[in-house]
Amino acid sequence: MESMHGLKRTHDCDSLTEAALGEEVVLMGWVHRRRDHGGLIFIDLRDRRGLTQVVFAPEVDAGSHQKAHGLRSEYVVAVRGLVRRRPEGMENPKIRTGMIEVACRELRILARARTPAFPLDEDGEIAETLRLKYRYLDLRRPYMVEGLALRHRVCQAMRRYLNDRDFLEVETPVLTRSTPEGARDYLVPSRVNPGRFYALPQSPQLYKQILMVGGIERYYQIARCFRDEDLRADRQPEFTQLDMEMSFVEEEDVMALVEGLMAAVFEEALGVRLEPPFPRLSYGDAMDRYGTDRPDTRYSLELRDLTDVARGCGFKVFREAAAGGGVVKAVNAAGMGDLSRREIDELTDYVSAFGARGLAWVKIREDGSWQSPIAKFFTDGERAAMGERLGAAPGDILFFGADRAETVHRVLGELRAELARRRGLIPEGTFSFVWVTDFPLLEYDEDEGRYVAVHHPFTAPREEDVERLADAPAAARARAYDLVLNGVEIGGGSIRVHTPELQARLFEVLSIPAAEAAEKFGFLLAALEHGAPPHGGIAFGLDRLVMLMAGRETIRDVIAFPKTQKAQCLLAEAPSPVSMAQLAELYLKPGWKAG
């Protein structure tokens, strides 16, 4: 291969315009596409910023022209040449450099390349397993470059905003102790402490609270976190979050600062103007109206409660649900009365995965009458009351759920989202933020037979609900707040417990014995006893946020080297076996096999 010695890159492949006509330039990059037009050879030269057309002509430089016959896709080359105007009719106004070309005077082949596993000059679908295995090729595509460049701009904007507001960026440990309250920890054996293990942090929660006790007052970190949990499109075993904590604040202080942060990030990274303050919903309202605590407010299709109307109706399913402490709710799919029976059956199958035992429906005819297998079970008055509450009109179709509240909310919440997707009700390029507040502090876990924290055990209860911890723990509300964007939770935070007495009381309600609490969280409890300021914070899933900003369907498209849904890195073939000698050095039994 040839050396680039003596050649210095003068421009990138997206910067040359007609202003550079007549200049001699040096470009370096990859051969994106090659075209042989007989006497002339053209290549599109690509770097991460864009493309420039290079022409090889024998009358300009015979040696380069001859060498260009051997160029293939993805060869790495250096080109020295003269910028000239493209011939009339060959301009490409779709790209920044589309009015010019570079006539090559010198070509150096810096590296040859195998035929790529997939074409980089086409926009067709590529199997994700192939993309992840050959990630170094995938990263060359503008699709990936744009996502990573946006991620970079987001991180820079976050840092600038917080630095300007007196925050300190502080790194917290990656090797810490295991405190399994939620997802599973990734464990790391310690060679110098036989039989003991570190855990990779699920979040910097305890350390950032210690920073507040230490008087740092305003902390942030773009932190790597790890959770050994089942994966989805928006989850990875290792992920990145913007972590923040502040002393002497209440909920309104945190939320106002975050709204300013989001406005700054979107304007700087995307050129999008947001309009704080963002709307707010209580947890109860979000569940009642949308069936989820992560509501997508870009479209309506809200749930309406019909339990009181259905309590005495002739339809047994509704009547028994209402009488047995459940709920009857419905969604008016306005204007969707043209759904076919096949489509309704598909929707029924879809919601069955979320616990639905069926999907009752009613179409509203032009004369306002009901078309439905269940219409005969209701009186004229009941039909009128339901139609009025749902705002039903001719051409609408009503979908009902009758069961326990959590089941109905889950089913109808998923149904409204599916209807919006199918009917194109979700506006593209819009960003709809909403705060969800007043979460339950605790929920009862039937499998564990105890109360567990809805967020984490360091979240403070509302002051007026502290006494409820004794006799009605499930009724206590948390000083917690989640930020939801387009139906995806991007951030969650709370005001923390800052006194050892209240923290001990919470551990007691959570059925964590004092000895166990001291073992798992002793260093935090000891710190609280030394005078902790009231404090609170929030953490944002950076991967999810950038995914939504980029309009992508999966966070793997905005992470340079993601894992698969089986938590594997196809590029590096990780996780991988290790030698028996390595296991023995860590005092682990060699020769074990996974079941």
Tab-separated table of all heavy atoms in Angstrom, residues 265-309:
chain	number	residue	atom	x	y	z
A	265	VAL	N	-31.153	21.708	24.870
A	265	VAL	CA	-30.650	20.560	24.116
A	265	VAL	C	-31.337	20.464	22.755
A	265	VAL	O	-30.684	20.280	21.716
A	265	VAL	CB	-30.858	19.262	24.918
A	265	VAL	CG1	-30.667	18.038	24.035
A	265	VAL	CG2	-29.892	19.212	26.097
A	266	PHE	N	-32.654	20.601	22.715
A	266	PHE	CA	-33.369	20.465	21.444
A	266	PHE	C	-33.035	21.603	20.488
A	266	PHE	O	-32.919	21.394	19.284
A	266	PHE	CB	-34.876	20.385	21.705
A	266	PHE	CG	-35.366	18.985	21.933
A	266	PHE	CD1	-35.080	18.332	23.122
A	266	PHE	CD2	-36.088	18.311	20.960
A	266	PHE	CE1	-35.519	17.034	23.340
A	266	PHE	CE2	-36.532	17.021	21.165
A	266	PHE	CZ	-36.254	16.366	22.354
A	267	GLU	N	-32.878	22.820	21.031
A	267	GLU	CA	-32.558	23.934	20.139
A	267	GLU	C	-31.136	23.805	19.599
A	267	GLU	O	-30.901	24.019	18.406
A	267	GLU	CB	-32.733	25.261	20.868
A	267	GLU	CG	-32.501	26.456	19.954
A	267	GLU	CD	-33.083	27.744	20.490
A	267	GLU	OE1	-33.520	27.767	21.654
A	267	GLU	OE2	-33.101	28.734	19.742
A	268	GLU	N	-30.198	23.432	20.457
A	268	GLU	CA	-28.803	23.366	20.017
A	268	GLU	C	-28.538	22.155	19.134
A	268	GLU	O	-27.800	22.246	18.150
A	268	GLU	CB	-27.881	23.328	21.242
A	268	GLU	CG	-26.404	23.411	20.895
A	268	GLU	CD	-25.539	23.619	22.118
A	268	GLU	OE1	-26.031	24.197	23.118
A	268	GLU	OE2	-24.369	23.207	22.078
A	269	ALA	N	-29.131	21.008	19.468
A	269	ALA	CA	-28.810	19.775	18.749
A	269	ALA	C	-29.690	19.548	17.527
A	269	ALA	O	-29.261	18.921	16.560
A	269	ALA	CB	-28.930	18.578	19.692
A	270	LEU	N	-30.942	20.061	17.558
A	270	LEU	CA	-31.876	19.808	16.461
A	270	LEU	C	-32.400	21.072	15.796
A	270	LEU	O	-32.999	20.999	14.729
A	270	LEU	CB	-33.090	19.013	16.969
A	270	LEU	CG	-32.987	17.503	17.115
A	270	LEU	CD1	-34.348	16.933	17.476
A	270	LEU	CD2	-32.470	16.843	15.845
A	271	GLY	N	-32.209	22.217	16.448
A	271	GLY	CA	-32.807	23.428	15.928
A	271	GLY	C	-34.306	23.486	16.154
A	271	GLY	O	-35.033	24.189	15.443
A	272	VAL	N	-34.791	22.763	17.166
A	272	VAL	CA	-36.218	22.701	17.490
A	272	VAL	C	-36.489	23.539	18.730
A	272	VAL	O	-35.801	23.392	19.746
A	272	VAL	CB	-36.664	21.239	17.720
A	272	VAL	CG1	-38.082	21.178	18.278
A	272	VAL	CG2	-36.570	20.449	16.419
A	273	ARG	N	-37.504	24.398	18.658
A	273	ARG	CA	-37.867	25.240	19.802
A	273	ARG	C	-38.954	24.551	20.618
A	273	ARG	O	-40.020	24.238	20.100
A	273	ARG	CB	-38.379	26.598	19.322
A	273	ARG	CG	-37.347	27.429	18.586
A	273	ARG	CD	-36.286	27.980	19.528
A	273	ARG	NE	-36.848	28.866	20.526
A	273	ARG	CZ	-37.046	30.166	20.354
A	273	ARG	NH1	-36.737	30.727	19.193
A	273	ARG	NH2	-37.525	30.910	21.339
A	274	LEU	N	-38.685	24.323	21.880
A	274	LEU	CA	-39.690	23.793	22.795
A	274	LEU	C	-40.312	24.949	23.572
A	274	LEU	O	-39.741	26.040	23.643
A	274	LEU	CB	-39.061	22.797	23.774
A	274	LEU	CG	-38.360	21.576	23.169
A	274	LEU	CD1	-37.800	20.688	24.273
A	274	LEU	CD2	-39.305	20.781	22.276
A	275	GLU	N	-41.462	24.697	24.168
A	275	GLU	CA	-42.167	25.746	24.894
A	275	GLU	C	-42.501	25.288	26.311
A	275	GLU	O	-43.615	24.861	26.583
A	275	GLU	CB	-43.446	26.139	24.140
A	275	GLU	CG	-43.176	26.759	22.781
A	275	GLU	CD	-44.452	27.244	22.103
A	275	GLU	OE1	-45.512	27.187	22.748
A	275	GLU	OE2	-44.364	27.671	20.939
A	276	PRO	N	-41.518	25.354	27.216
A	276	PRO	CA	-41.828	25.069	28.629
A	276	PRO	C	-42.777	26.141	29.165
A	276	PRO	O	-42.854	27.236	28.598
A	276	PRO	CB	-40.458	25.148	29.306
A	276	PRO	CG	-39.456	25.037	28.203
A	276	PRO	CD	-40.099	25.666	27.001
A	277	PRO	N	-43.484	25.859	30.264
A	277	PRO	CA	-43.443	24.614	31.024
A	277	PRO	C	-44.213	23.500	30.325
A	277	PRO	O	-45.144	23.766	29.561
A	277	PRO	CB	-44.122	24.995	32.346
A	277	PRO	CG	-45.056	26.098	31.971
A	277	PRO	CD	-44.359	26.875	30.896
A	278	PHE	N	-43.809	22.247	30.603
A	278	PHE	CA	-44.465	21.106	29.998
A	278	PHE	C	-45.740	20.764	30.779
A	278	PHE	O	-45.816	21.010	31.984
A	278	PHE	CB	-43.531	19.898	29.987
A	278	PHE	CG	-42.219	20.144	29.274
A	278	PHE	CD1	-41.060	19.497	29.696
A	278	PHE	CD2	-42.142	20.996	28.187
A	278	PHE	CE1	-39.861	19.708	29.055
A	278	PHE	CE2	-40.938	21.223	27.531
A	278	PHE	CZ	-39.786	20.571	27.968
A	279	PRO	N	-46.727	20.184	30.096
A	279	PRO	CA	-47.954	19.776	30.797
A	279	PRO	C	-47.644	18.763	31.896
A	279	PRO	O	-46.617	18.070	31.854
A	279	PRO	CB	-48.800	19.134	29.695
A	279	PRO	CG	-48.225	19.619	28.412
A	279	PRO	CD	-46.773	19.866	28.665
A	280	ARG	N	-48.553	18.687	32.867
A	280	ARG	CA	-48.377	17.754	33.986
A	280	ARG	C	-49.636	16.913	34.168
A	280	ARG	O	-50.750	17.405	34.019
A	280	ARG	CB	-48.057	18.513	35.271
A	280	ARG	CG	-46.791	19.320	35.140
A	280	ARG	CD	-46.403	20.006	36.412
A	280	ARG	NE	-45.246	20.875	36.180
A	280	ARG	CZ	-44.614	21.515	37.128
A	280	ARG	NH1	-45.026	21.395	38.384
A	280	ARG	NH2	-43.570	22.272	36.845
A	281	LEU	N	-49.414	15.666	34.503
A	281	LEU	CA	-50.494	14.739	34.796
A	281	LEU	C	-50.162	14.014	36.082
A	281	LEU	O	-49.013	13.590	36.269
A	281	LEU	CB	-50.647	13.697	33.687
A	281	LEU	CG	-51.384	14.062	32.401
A	281	LEU	CD1	-51.241	12.916	31.406
A	281	LEU	CD2	-52.852	14.339	32.686
A	282	SER	N	-51.139	13.843	36.938
A	282	SER	CA	-50.908	12.956	38.072
A	282	SER	C	-50.902	11.529	37.571
A	282	SER	O	-51.465	11.218	36.508
A	282	SER	CB	-52.004	13.126	39.119
A	282	SER	OG	-53.229	12.603	38.640
A	283	TYR	N	-50.279	10.648	38.322
A	283	TYR	CA	-50.261	9.225	37.976
A	283	TYR	C	-51.683	8.705	37.803
A	283	TYR	O	-51.977	7.981	36.838
A	283	TYR	CB	-49.534	8.440	39.072
A	283	TYR	CG	-49.637	6.943	38.944
A	283	TYR	CD1	-48.780	6.234	38.114
A	283	TYR	CD2	-50.600	6.228	39.670
A	283	TYR	CE1	-48.875	4.857	38.000
A	283	TYR	CE2	-50.704	4.860	39.561
A	283	TYR	CZ	-49.834	4.177	38.727
A	283	TYR	OH	-49.941	2.808	38.619
A	284	GLY	N	-52.584	9.098	38.717
A	284	GLY	CA	-53.961	8.635	38.634
A	284	GLY	C	-54.649	9.098	37.361
A	284	GLY	O	-55.337	8.318	36.692
A	285	ASP	N	-54.444	10.363	36.986
A	285	ASP	CA	-55.055	10.871	35.760
A	285	ASP	C	-54.473	10.191	34.528
A	285	ASP	O	-55.195	9.894	33.565
A	285	ASP	CB	-54.842	12.382	35.654
A	285	ASP	CG	-55.775	13.165	36.560
A	285	ASP	OD1	-56.755	12.575	37.048
A	285	ASP	OD2	-55.516	14.364	36.783
A	286	ALA	N	-53.168	9.962	34.523
A	286	ALA	CA	-52.537	9.304	33.380
A	286	ALA	C	-53.115	7.903	33.176
A	286	ALA	O	-53.424	7.511	32.041
A	286	ALA	CB	-51.024	9.230	33.585
A	287	MET	N	-53.257	7.151	34.261
A	287	MET	CA	-53.813	5.817	34.156
A	287	MET	C	-55.274	5.861	33.737
A	287	MET	O	-55.716	5.079	32.874
A	287	MET	CB	-53.667	5.070	35.481
A	287	MET	CG	-52.237	4.862	35.937
A	287	MET	SD	-51.208	3.939	34.756
A	287	MET	CE	-51.973	2.329	34.815
A	288	ASP	N	-56.052	6.761	34.316
A	288	ASP	CA	-57.479	6.856	33.997
A	288	ASP	C	-57.707	7.236	32.540
A	288	ASP	O	-58.599	6.695	31.872
A	288	ASP	CB	-58.153	7.899	34.895
A	288	ASP	CG	-58.399	7.374	36.307
A	288	ASP	OD1	-58.343	6.143	36.496
A	288	ASP	OD2	-58.630	8.199	37.215
A	289	ARG	N	-56.928	8.184	32.032
A	289	ARG	CA	-57.181	8.727	30.695
A	289	ARG	C	-56.449	7.996	29.581
A	289	ARG	O	-56.936	7.945	28.447
A	289	ARG	CB	-56.793	10.210	30.667
A	289	ARG	CG	-57.683	11.083	31.533
A	289	ARG	CD	-57.116	12.488	31.657
A	289	ARG	NE	-56.891	13.110	30.349
A	289	ARG	CZ	-56.288	14.276	30.183
A	289	ARG	NH1	-55.840	14.949	31.246
A	289	ARG	NH2	-56.118	14.785	28.976
A	290	TYR	N	-55.252	7.452	29.897
A	290	TYR	CA	-54.440	6.839	28.843
A	290	TYR	C	-54.115	5.367	29.092
A	290	TYR	O	-53.574	4.706	28.209
A	290	TYR	CB	-53.138	7.625	28.671
A	290	TYR	CG	-53.352	9.075	28.303
A	290	TYR	CD1	-53.312	10.073	29.275
A	290	TYR	CD2	-53.621	9.435	26.991
A	290	TYR	CE1	-53.522	11.404	28.942
A	290	TYR	CE2	-53.834	10.771	26.643
A	290	TYR	CZ	-53.779	11.746	27.631
A	290	TYR	OH	-53.998	13.057	27.290
A	291	GLY	N	-54.377	4.880	30.288
A	291	GLY	CA	-54.114	3.481	30.585
A	291	GLY	C	-52.663	3.183	30.860
A	291	GLY	O	-52.268	2.024	30.962
A	292	THR	N	-51.834	4.205	30.995
A	292	THR	CA	-50.398	3.999	31.201
A	292	THR	C	-49.824	5.213	31.916
A	292	THR	O	-50.373	6.320	31.818
A	292	THR	CB	-49.671	3.793	29.856
A	292	THR	OG1	-48.254	3.678	30.069
A	292	THR	CG2	-49.929	4.953	28.896
A	293	ASP	N	-48.710	5.004	32.626
A	293	ASP	CA	-48.017	6.143	33.236
A	293	ASP	C	-46.960	6.706	32.288
A	293	ASP	O	-46.145	7.530	32.680
A	293	ASP	CB	-47.399	5.751	34.575
A	293	ASP	CG	-46.412	4.600	34.469
A	293	ASP	OD1	-46.142	4.122	33.338
A	293	ASP	OD2	-45.901	4.151	35.508
A	294	ARG	N	-46.994	6.263	31.035
A	294	ARG	CA	-46.105	6.802	29.991
A	294	ARG	C	-46.977	7.238	28.804
A	294	ARG	O	-46.840	6.692	27.698
A	294	ARG	CB	-45.081	5.756	29.555
A	294	ARG	CG	-44.222	5.222	30.675
A	294	ARG	CD	-43.227	4.178	30.196
A	294	ARG	NE	-43.890	3.055	29.531
A	294	ARG	CZ	-44.455	2.029	30.144
A	294	ARG	NH1	-44.464	1.979	31.456
A	294	ARG	NH2	-45.023	1.055	29.464
A	295	PRO	N	-47.866	8.182	28.999
A	295	PRO	CA	-48.848	8.497	27.950
A	295	PRO	C	-48.233	9.217	26.758
A	295	PRO	O	-47.409	10.112	26.908
A	295	PRO	CB	-49.844	9.401	28.671
A	295	PRO	CG	-49.050	10.047	29.767
A	295	PRO	CD	-48.061	9.008	30.214
A	296	ASP	N	-48.654	8.788	25.576
A	296	ASP	CA	-48.314	9.511	24.347
A	296	ASP	C	-49.437	10.493	24.094
A	296	ASP	O	-50.556	10.109	23.741
A	296	ASP	CB	-48.176	8.537	23.178
A	296	ASP	CG	-47.559	9.187	21.946
A	296	ASP	OD1	-47.627	10.429	21.845
A	296	ASP	OD2	-47.020	8.461	21.090
A	297	THR	N	-49.158	11.763	24.292
A	297	THR	CA	-50.199	12.792	24.207
A	297	THR	C	-50.253	13.468	22.835
A	297	THR	O	-50.890	14.512	22.688
A	297	THR	CB	-49.973	13.845	25.304
A	297	THR	OG1	-48.640	14.366	25.200
A	297	THR	CG2	-50.157	13.240	26.690
A	298	ARG	N	-49.627	12.850	21.843
A	298	ARG	CA	-49.674	13.425	20.506
A	298	ARG	C	-51.015	13.165	19.810
A	298	ARG	O	-51.294	13.748	18.760
A	298	ARG	CB	-48.533	12.869	19.644
A	298	ARG	CG	-47.159	13.347	20.050
A	298	ARG	CD	-46.080	12.662	19.239
A	298	ARG	NE	-46.032	11.226	19.503
A	298	ARG	CZ	-45.255	10.367	18.846
A	298	ARG	NH1	-44.482	10.809	17.868
A	298	ARG	NH2	-45.245	9.081	19.165
A	299	TYR	N	-51.803	12.269	20.345
A	299	TYR	CA	-53.123	11.981	19.786
A	299	TYR	C	-54.081	11.744	20.943
A	299	TYR	O	-53.667	11.555	22.077
A	299	TYR	CB	-53.069	10.760	18.862
A	299	TYR	CG	-52.411	9.543	19.486
A	299	TYR	CD1	-53.166	8.598	20.160
A	299	TYR	CD2	-51.036	9.353	19.401
A	299	TYR	CE1	-52.572	7.487	20.744
A	299	TYR	CE2	-50.435	8.250	19.980
A	299	TYR	CZ	-51.208	7.315	20.638
A	299	TYR	OH	-50.619	6.221	21.219
A	300	SER	N	-55.385	11.757	20.677
A	300	SER	CA	-56.368	11.672	21.767
A	300	SER	C	-56.663	10.215	22.105
A	300	SER	O	-55.890	9.580	22.815
A	300	SER	CB	-57.630	12.446	21.399
A	300	SER	OG	-58.162	11.980	20.176
A	301	LEU	N	-57.789	9.658	21.634
A	301	LEU	CA	-58.167	8.274	21.932
A	301	LEU	C	-58.101	7.988	23.435
A	301	LEU	O	-57.534	6.992	23.869
A	301	LEU	CB	-57.262	7.288	21.174
A	301	LEU	CG	-57.374	7.271	19.655
A	301	LEU	CD1	-56.317	6.358	19.041
A	301	LEU	CD2	-58.760	6.834	19.216
A	302	GLU	N	-58.674	8.882	24.220
A	302	GLU	CA	-58.588	8.722	25.667
A	302	GLU	C	-59.621	7.721	26.178
A	302	GLU	O	-60.699	7.549	25.591
A	302	GLU	CB	-58.785	10.072	26.359
A	302	GLU	CG	-57.650	11.047	26.086
A	302	GLU	CD	-57.774	12.313	26.916
A	302	GLU	OE1	-58.488	12.282	27.950
A	302	GLU	OE2	-57.150	13.321	26.544
A	303	LEU	N	-59.294	7.097	27.296
A	303	LEU	CA	-60.192	6.151	27.939
A	303	LEU	C	-61.287	6.917	28.685
A	303	LEU	O	-61.016	7.977	29.256
A	303	LEU	CB	-59.431	5.266	28.939
A	303	LEU	CG	-58.562	4.119	28.411
A	303	LEU	CD1	-57.485	4.588	27.458
A	303	LEU	CD2	-57.949	3.352	29.586
A	304	ARG	N	-62.486	6.351	28.691
A	304	ARG	CA	-63.585	6.932	29.453
A	304	ARG	C	-64.183	5.848	30.350
A	304	ARG	O	-64.389	4.718	29.923
A	304	ARG	CB	-64.670	7.486	28.523
A	304	ARG	CG	-64.221	8.701	27.724
A	304	ARG	CD	-64.071	9.925	28.621
A	304	ARG	NE	-63.694	11.115	27.864
A	304	ARG	CZ	-62.460	11.553	27.730
A	304	ARG	NH1	-61.465	10.875	28.281
A	304	ARG	NH2	-62.204	12.646	27.044
A	305	ASP	N	-64.490	6.222	31.585
A	305	ASP	CA	-65.008	5.280	32.577
A	305	ASP	C	-66.526	5.152	32.437
A	305	ASP	O	-67.253	6.146	32.499
A	305	ASP	CB	-64.641	5.767	33.984
A	305	ASP	CG	-64.817	4.675	35.023
A	305	ASP	OD1	-65.628	3.757	34.812
A	305	ASP	OD2	-64.135	4.752	36.069
A	306	LEU	N	-66.991	3.915	32.261
A	306	LEU	CA	-68.420	3.628	32.115
A	306	LEU	C	-68.919	2.711	33.214
A	306	LEU	O	-70.020	2.157	33.103
A	306	LEU	CB	-68.678	2.971	30.751
A	306	LEU	CG	-68.175	3.720	29.512
A	306	LEU	CD1	-68.359	2.863	28.272
A	306	LEU	CD2	-68.909	5.042	29.353
A	307	THR	N	-68.137	2.547	34.273
A	307	THR	CA	-68.476	1.569	35.303
A	307	THR	C	-69.846	1.835	35.906
A	307	THR	O	-70.647	0.903	36.110
A	307	THR	CB	-67.403	1.571	36.410
A	307	THR	OG1	-66.107	1.446	35.816
A	307	THR	CG2	-67.620	0.404	37.367
A	308	ASP	N	-70.152	3.087	36.177
A	308	ASP	CA	-71.433	3.389	36.812
A	308	ASP	C	-72.605	3.061	35.903
A	308	ASP	O	-73.640	2.555	36.348
A	308	ASP	CB	-71.480	4.856	37.234
A	308	ASP	CG	-71.279	5.810	36.066
A	308	ASP	OD1	-70.569	5.440	35.114
A	308	ASP	OD2	-71.825	6.929	36.111
A	309	VAL	N	-72.458	3.301	34.597
A	309	VAL	CA	-73.525	3.012	33.641
A	309	VAL	C	-73.692	1.504	33.476
A	309	VAL	O	-74.818	0.996	33.339
A	309	VAL	CB	-73.236	3.667	32.283
A	309	VAL	CG1	-74.362	3.383	31.296
A	309	VAL	CG2	-73.028	5.164	32.441
